[in-house]
Short mmCIF file of all heavy atoms in Angstrom, two decimals:
data_model
loop_
_atom_site.label_atom_id
_atom_site.label_comp_id
_atom_site.label_asym_id
_atom_site.label_seq_id
_atom_site.Cartn_x
_atom_site.Cartn_y
_atom_site.Cartn_z
N TRP A 313 27.21 8.44 13.26
CA TRP A 313 27.58 9.60 12.44
C TRP A 313 27.17 9.41 10.93
O TRP A 313 26.83 10.40 10.27
CB TRP A 313 28.96 9.95 12.71
CG TRP A 313 30.09 9.21 11.95
CD1 TRP A 313 30.65 8.12 12.36
CD2 TRP A 313 30.57 9.54 10.63
NE1 TRP A 313 31.59 7.66 11.42
CE2 TRP A 313 31.46 8.43 10.34
CE3 TRP A 313 30.32 10.46 9.60
CZ2 TRP A 313 32.12 8.35 9.16
CZ3 TRP A 313 30.99 10.38 8.40
CH2 TRP A 313 31.84 9.37 8.13
N LEU A 314 27.25 8.23 10.46
CA LEU A 314 26.91 7.85 9.09
C LEU A 314 25.44 7.99 8.89
O LEU A 314 25.00 8.49 7.89
CB LEU A 314 27.42 6.57 8.66
CG LEU A 314 29.03 6.37 8.33
CD1 LEU A 314 29.36 4.99 8.02
CD2 LEU A 314 29.27 7.32 7.16
N VAL A 315 24.66 7.45 9.90
CA VAL A 315 23.27 7.68 9.91
C VAL A 315 22.78 9.08 9.80
O VAL A 315 21.99 9.45 9.00
CB VAL A 315 22.55 6.90 11.09
CG1 VAL A 315 21.10 7.20 11.01
CG2 VAL A 315 22.84 5.46 11.09
N ILE A 316 23.40 9.91 10.58
CA ILE A 316 23.16 11.35 10.61
C ILE A 316 23.35 11.98 9.35
O ILE A 316 22.62 12.80 8.79
CB ILE A 316 23.84 12.04 11.85
CG1 ILE A 316 23.34 11.59 13.12
CG2 ILE A 316 23.69 13.59 11.66
CD1 ILE A 316 24.07 12.09 14.34
N LEU A 317 24.52 11.56 8.68
CA LEU A 317 24.89 12.19 7.36
C LEU A 317 23.93 11.79 6.31
O LEU A 317 23.42 12.58 5.52
CB LEU A 317 26.32 11.59 7.06
CG LEU A 317 26.78 12.03 5.60
CD1 LEU A 317 26.87 13.55 5.52
CD2 LEU A 317 28.18 11.38 5.36
N ALA A 318 23.43 10.42 6.33
CA ALA A 318 22.47 10.00 5.42
C ALA A 318 21.22 10.69 5.64
O ALA A 318 20.45 11.08 4.57
CB ALA A 318 22.33 8.44 5.67
N MET A 319 20.79 10.88 6.88
CA MET A 319 19.48 11.63 7.10
C MET A 319 19.54 13.07 6.53
O MET A 319 18.65 13.56 5.93
CB MET A 319 19.13 11.71 8.68
CG MET A 319 18.90 10.48 9.20
SD MET A 319 18.94 10.42 11.03
CE MET A 319 17.54 11.35 11.44
N ASN A 320 20.66 13.71 6.66
CA ASN A 320 20.88 15.16 6.21
C ASN A 320 20.80 15.12 4.69
O ASN A 320 20.24 15.99 4.03
CB ASN A 320 22.25 15.70 6.64
CG ASN A 320 22.25 16.15 8.01
OD1 ASN A 320 21.20 16.97 8.41
ND2 ASN A 320 23.11 16.05 8.80
N LEU A 321 21.43 14.10 3.97
CA LEU A 321 21.42 14.06 2.59
C LEU A 321 20.09 13.87 2.02
O LEU A 321 19.56 14.44 1.02
CB LEU A 321 22.36 13.01 2.08
CG LEU A 321 23.94 13.18 2.35
CD1 LEU A 321 24.75 11.99 1.94
CD2 LEU A 321 24.37 14.55 1.55
N ILE A 322 19.31 12.97 2.60
CA ILE A 322 17.92 12.65 2.32
C ILE A 322 17.05 13.97 2.44
O ILE A 322 16.28 14.29 1.56
CB ILE A 322 17.33 11.55 3.12
CG1 ILE A 322 18.07 10.25 2.78
CG2 ILE A 322 15.81 11.36 2.78
CD1 ILE A 322 17.72 8.98 3.65
N MET A 323 17.16 14.61 3.59
CA MET A 323 16.41 15.83 3.75
C MET A 323 16.77 16.94 2.76
O MET A 323 15.90 17.64 2.32
CB MET A 323 16.53 16.27 5.26
CG MET A 323 15.83 15.45 6.22
SD MET A 323 15.88 16.05 7.86
CE MET A 323 17.42 15.63 8.50
N LEU A 324 18.08 17.11 2.53
CA LEU A 324 18.43 18.12 1.55
C LEU A 324 17.89 17.78 0.04
O LEU A 324 17.43 18.68 -0.65
CB LEU A 324 20.02 18.14 1.39
CG LEU A 324 20.66 18.98 2.47
CD1 LEU A 324 22.21 18.79 2.46
CD2 LEU A 324 20.27 20.46 2.39
N ALA A 325 17.91 16.38 -0.26
CA ALA A 325 17.43 16.00 -1.54
C ALA A 325 15.87 16.23 -1.63
O ALA A 325 15.34 16.66 -2.68
CB ALA A 325 17.75 14.65 -1.78
N ILE A 326 15.16 15.98 -0.57
CA ILE A 326 13.71 16.15 -0.66
C ILE A 326 13.25 17.49 -0.51
O ILE A 326 12.24 17.96 -0.99
CB ILE A 326 13.07 15.20 0.45
CG1 ILE A 326 13.26 13.69 0.09
CG2 ILE A 326 11.55 15.59 0.75
CD1 ILE A 326 12.72 12.73 1.16
N GLY A 327 14.05 18.37 0.25
CA GLY A 327 13.74 19.71 0.49
C GLY A 327 13.67 20.55 -0.77
O GLY A 327 12.98 21.66 -0.85
N GLY A 328 14.46 20.08 -1.84
CA GLY A 328 14.45 20.85 -3.09
C GLY A 328 13.10 20.83 -3.87
O GLY A 328 12.48 21.81 -4.02
N PRO A 329 12.66 19.59 -4.12
CA PRO A 329 11.38 19.49 -4.93
C PRO A 329 10.07 19.69 -4.04
O PRO A 329 9.09 20.01 -4.57
CB PRO A 329 11.47 18.10 -5.48
CG PRO A 329 12.20 17.32 -4.62
CD PRO A 329 13.32 18.33 -4.03
N LEU A 330 10.21 19.30 -2.69
CA LEU A 330 9.00 19.35 -1.99
C LEU A 330 9.10 20.62 -0.94
O LEU A 330 10.05 20.77 -0.40
CB LEU A 330 8.91 18.00 -1.11
CG LEU A 330 7.55 17.70 -0.45
CD1 LEU A 330 6.51 17.56 -1.59
CD2 LEU A 330 7.64 16.36 0.27
N ASP A 331 7.89 21.22 -0.76
CA ASP A 331 7.78 22.38 0.11
C ASP A 331 8.05 21.95 1.57
O ASP A 331 7.89 20.85 1.89
CB ASP A 331 6.54 23.08 -0.06
CG ASP A 331 6.60 24.60 0.28
OD1 ASP A 331 7.67 24.99 0.62
OD2 ASP A 331 5.54 25.19 0.21
N LEU A 332 8.30 22.89 2.36
CA LEU A 332 8.84 22.65 3.71
C LEU A 332 7.83 22.00 4.58
O LEU A 332 8.04 21.01 5.19
CB LEU A 332 9.31 24.02 4.36
CG LEU A 332 10.13 24.03 5.59
CD1 LEU A 332 10.99 25.06 5.65
CD2 LEU A 332 9.17 24.00 6.76
N ALA A 333 6.51 22.53 4.62
CA ALA A 333 5.48 21.86 5.49
C ALA A 333 5.18 20.45 5.26
O ALA A 333 5.33 19.65 6.11
CB ALA A 333 4.30 22.81 5.40
N PRO A 334 4.98 20.08 3.91
CA PRO A 334 4.63 18.57 3.73
C PRO A 334 5.83 17.78 3.98
O PRO A 334 5.75 16.61 4.37
CB PRO A 334 4.12 18.67 2.29
CG PRO A 334 4.63 19.90 1.63
CD PRO A 334 4.68 20.90 2.80
N ALA A 335 7.10 18.27 3.76
CA ALA A 335 8.24 17.53 3.87
C ALA A 335 8.47 17.18 5.32
O ALA A 335 8.78 16.03 5.74
CB ALA A 335 9.45 18.29 3.35
N ILE A 336 8.22 18.22 6.24
CA ILE A 336 8.24 17.87 7.61
C ILE A 336 7.22 16.91 8.21
O ILE A 336 7.61 15.95 8.89
CB ILE A 336 8.09 19.26 8.38
CG1 ILE A 336 9.36 20.11 8.36
CG2 ILE A 336 7.87 18.90 9.99
CD1 ILE A 336 9.19 21.44 9.05
N LEU A 337 6.00 16.95 7.62
CA LEU A 337 4.95 16.14 8.06
C LEU A 337 5.18 14.73 7.56
O LEU A 337 4.63 13.82 8.15
CB LEU A 337 3.57 16.70 7.61
CG LEU A 337 3.21 18.07 8.26
CD1 LEU A 337 2.07 18.60 7.54
CD2 LEU A 337 2.80 17.94 9.67
N LEU A 338 5.78 14.60 6.53
CA LEU A 338 6.06 13.26 5.94
C LEU A 338 7.29 12.62 6.51
O LEU A 338 7.37 11.38 6.70
CB LEU A 338 6.11 13.25 4.36
CG LEU A 338 4.85 13.59 3.69
CD1 LEU A 338 5.03 13.79 2.18
CD2 LEU A 338 3.87 12.56 3.99
N LEU A 339 8.35 13.39 6.64
CA LEU A 339 9.65 12.85 7.11
C LEU A 339 9.87 12.62 8.58
O LEU A 339 10.41 11.62 9.09
CB LEU A 339 10.79 13.83 6.66
CG LEU A 339 11.04 13.79 5.20
CD1 LEU A 339 12.23 14.82 4.81
CD2 LEU A 339 11.41 12.43 4.55
N ALA A 340 9.10 13.52 9.39
CA ALA A 340 9.25 13.41 10.79
C ALA A 340 8.83 12.04 11.39
O ALA A 340 9.44 11.43 12.26
CB ALA A 340 8.49 14.55 11.58
N PRO A 341 7.76 11.46 11.03
CA PRO A 341 7.31 10.11 11.49
C PRO A 341 8.24 9.04 11.10
O PRO A 341 8.33 8.03 11.78
CB PRO A 341 5.90 9.91 10.91
CG PRO A 341 5.37 11.28 10.53
CD PRO A 341 6.58 12.08 10.10
N ILE A 342 9.14 9.29 10.04
CA ILE A 342 9.96 8.33 9.64
C ILE A 342 11.33 8.39 10.34
O ILE A 342 11.95 7.34 10.77
CB ILE A 342 10.22 8.36 8.11
CG1 ILE A 342 8.87 8.01 7.27
CG2 ILE A 342 11.39 7.43 7.52
CD1 ILE A 342 9.01 8.23 5.73
N PHE A 343 11.81 9.68 10.53
CA PHE A 343 13.04 9.88 11.13
C PHE A 343 13.14 9.79 12.63
O PHE A 343 14.11 9.63 13.25
CB PHE A 343 13.70 11.20 10.56
CG PHE A 343 14.18 11.27 9.17
CD1 PHE A 343 14.58 12.27 8.61
CD2 PHE A 343 14.36 9.98 8.50
CE1 PHE A 343 15.12 12.24 7.29
CE2 PHE A 343 14.84 9.84 7.23
CZ PHE A 343 15.23 11.09 6.71
N VAL A 344 11.97 10.18 13.29
CA VAL A 344 11.99 10.12 14.74
C VAL A 344 12.35 8.80 15.29
O VAL A 344 13.15 8.71 16.20
CB VAL A 344 10.64 10.64 15.29
CG1 VAL A 344 10.46 10.42 16.88
CG2 VAL A 344 10.46 12.13 15.01
N PRO A 345 11.73 7.72 14.73
CA PRO A 345 12.10 6.38 15.24
C PRO A 345 13.63 6.01 15.05
O PRO A 345 14.33 5.47 15.82
CB PRO A 345 11.25 5.38 14.50
CG PRO A 345 10.02 6.15 14.18
CD PRO A 345 10.65 7.53 13.90
#
Side-chain angles (χ1 to χ4, degrees):
W313 77 268
L314 283 175
V315 175
I316 292 174
L317 177 61
M319 291 167 71
N320 279 319
L321 293 175
I322 291 171
M323 286 187 280
L324 282 173
I326 290 178
L330 195 60
D331 206 1
L332 195 147
I336 287 177
L337 295 168
L338 291 174
L339 290 178
I342 296 175
F343 281 173
V344 168

